[in-house]
Amino acid sequence: MKKILLAVLLLGTSTMMFAQGAKNIKINEVLTDNQASVQDEFGQHLPWMELVNTSFSTYNVRGMFIATDRRVLDKSLTAPQRIQMMSPIPNGDDRSAMSAREHLVLFLNSNPAKGFLHLNAKVTPGTPVWVALYDGNGIDLIDSVSVPALATDKSYARIKDGFQQWDTKPAEAVTPGTGNYIEINESKISRLKRDDPHGFGITVLSMGIVFFCLALLYVFFRIFGMIIVHQRSLKKAAEVAASVQPVKAVAKTTEIAAEVAHKTTVVLKDGIQTKGIDREIYMAVIAMALKQYQDDVHDVESGIITIKPRHSMWNNGI
């Protein structure tokens, strides 16, 4: 039971994905009276239609159907009955795999035996015609268009690939196998009005440019301000250092001068042998040495030089 459910789920998912991919294939341009337009590989001028893949992935159109007979819209018909009134896109050619944004030109009023691009779908030059694209099951209508009566070498095409709006193109604007474009006599203002009739696109674009410029100015002045503040901090630190250094130099000089003066005073008072050292210092050193001697520090600490007494016979009666 689980296997059956899984198989049904996979089949339904694949069918949905297939249908979604087929919806990206559109009828893009139709020319019914070909006198000087594109030729087939045999040099003949045949009516033609153009398909376009509007997606960004590859889709294979083999097995799909082209119909020009409105009777296929009768819902009472079965799939085989519809297929008999349609022209299938044949298999066995790599060109049926349409890559992203690719165009495919198919010749009408022809014989499929001539090649992959030739279909037996019938159109009458100079008269209106209905052209439809059906999925491979012959039931699902993918795309259709009612083509008005066209003059020689004029085509009926979407104003751009995949757009809903159609327009009649003069002979010099017909584009078989390439992307559709706007009529050459259309001004930029007219093109803007047609592409953006409510002005939403130009509004968003304008506001986007304004906010981008404001953000750019904010970043610029933010960085510029940080640089100025940093330079001021460095300048202030240099000024403080320059003001503190002379004070330290004066204090050091005063200290050295006082020391020299003191030593000079001692030399003048006690003589050169003292080398400028006060007598009080000598007395303190001698007193410290005597104190250490009395406390027997010299016997405990190895770093003290011990002066050992030497006995003589000077006081002996002999």
Side-chain angles (χ1 to χ4, degrees):
M1 184 66 182
K2 292 182 178 179
K3 293 182 178 180
I4 296 176
L5 291 175
L6 180 60
V8 172
L9 180 61
L10 292 175
L11 180 61
T13 303
S14 61
T15 303
M16 291 176 61
M17 292 177 62
F18 182 82
Q20 184 65 29
K23 289 293 184 181
N24 295 320
I25 306 300
K26 301 292 184 181
I27 300 173
N28 203 46
E29 189 171 6
V30 180
L31 190 146
T32 57
D33 190 358
N34 185 2
Q35 298 296 327
S37 183
V38 64
Q39 299 179 2
D40 65 2
E41 57 268 38
F42 302 99
Q44 294 181 340
H45 294 278
L46 297 173
W48 53 265
M49 63 174 295
E50 179 189 73
L51 300 179
V52 62
N53 182 5
T54 59
S55 69
F56 291 94
S57 59
T58 301
Y59 187 81
N60 202 319
V61 297
R62 63 186 179 186
M64 300 179 76
F65 295 93
I66 301 297
T68 57
D69 190 344
R70 286 184 176 272
R71 291 182 300 172
V72 299
L73 295 175
D74 188 356
K75 295 183 179 180
S76 64
L77 296 176
T78 62
Q81 290 174 337
R82 286 195 180 95
I83 291 174
Q84 288 180 357
M85 293 184 288
M86 298 178 186
S87 180
I89 300 176
N91 300 329
D93 196 299
D94 295 336
R95 287 174 291 182
S96 63
M98 298 180 63
S99 58
R101 306 294 178 174
E102 186 178 4
H103 302 78
L104 179 65
V105 175
L106 301 173
F107 293 102
L108 309 177
N109 288 354
S110 186
N111 187 354
K114 290 184 176 181
F116 164 73
L117 301 177
H118 294 265
L119 306 178
N120 57 7
K122 302 299 181 181
V123 296
T124 302
T127 60
V129 63
W130 176 76
V131 182
L133 173 67
Y134 273 83
D135 204 352
N137 56 13
I139 299 175
D140 297 328
L141 178 62
I142 304 301
D143 192 22
S144 65
V145 59
S146 295
V147 181
L150 298 173
T152 302
D153 293 328
K154 288 188 176 182
S155 70
Y156 193 63
R158 298 179 188 268
I159 57 174
K160 280 188 178 180
D161 291 350
F163 273 40
Q164 295 295 328
Q165 186 177 351
W166 290 72
D167 194 11
T168 301
K169 301 292 183 180
E172 63 271 15
V174 174
T175 56
T178 59
N180 295 349
Y181 59 87
I182 306 166
E183 289 194 26
I184 55 178
N185 59 351
E186 185 176 15
S187 64
K188 293 182 179 180
I189 297 177
S190 301
R191 177 180 178 181
L192 182 61
K193 289 181 179 179
R194 178 175 51 77
D195 291 343
D196 189 20
H198 301 289
F200 295 123
I202 192 67
T203 302
V204 173
L205 179 62
S206 302
M207 296 302 295
I209 293 175
V210 170
F211 282 110
F212 175 77
C213 293
L214 291 175
L216 191 62
L217 289 174
Y218 170 78
V219 172
F220 172 76
F221 284 110
R222 181 72 174 176
I223 296 175
F224 183 74
M226 293 173 63
I227 294 174
I228 296 299
V229 171
H230 181 66
Q231 289 180 348
R232 288 182 177 177
S233 300
L234 292 178
K235 185 177 180 181
K236 186 175 181 179
E239 292 177 352
V240 172
S243 62
V244 171
Q245 192 67 21
V247 174
K248 291 184 178 180
V250 171
K252 187 67 175 177
T253 303
T254 304
E255 182 180 352
I256 295 175
E259 184 178 355
V260 171
H262 176 71
K263 289 185 178 182
T264 304
T265 303
V266 173
V267 169
L268 293 175
K269 182 179 179 181
D270 299 330
I272 299 177
Q273 295 180 353
T274 60
K275 298 180 180 180
I277 302 176
D278 293 339
R279 289 182 178 181
E280 289 79 2
I281 295 177
Y282 282 108
M283 294 174 64
V285 172
I286 293 172
M288 185 181 295
L290 292 174
K291 177 62 175 173
Q292 290 179 351
Y293 179 75
Q294 290 177 357
D295 295 340
D296 294 331
V297 177
H298 60 283
D299 293 332
V300 177
E301 298 181 4
S302 60
I304 303 299
I305 299 176
T306 302
I307 303 176
K308 295 182 179 180
R310 182 178 182 184
H311 300 283
S312 62
M313 299 298 291
W314 66 273
N315 61 347
N316 196 331
I318 300 174

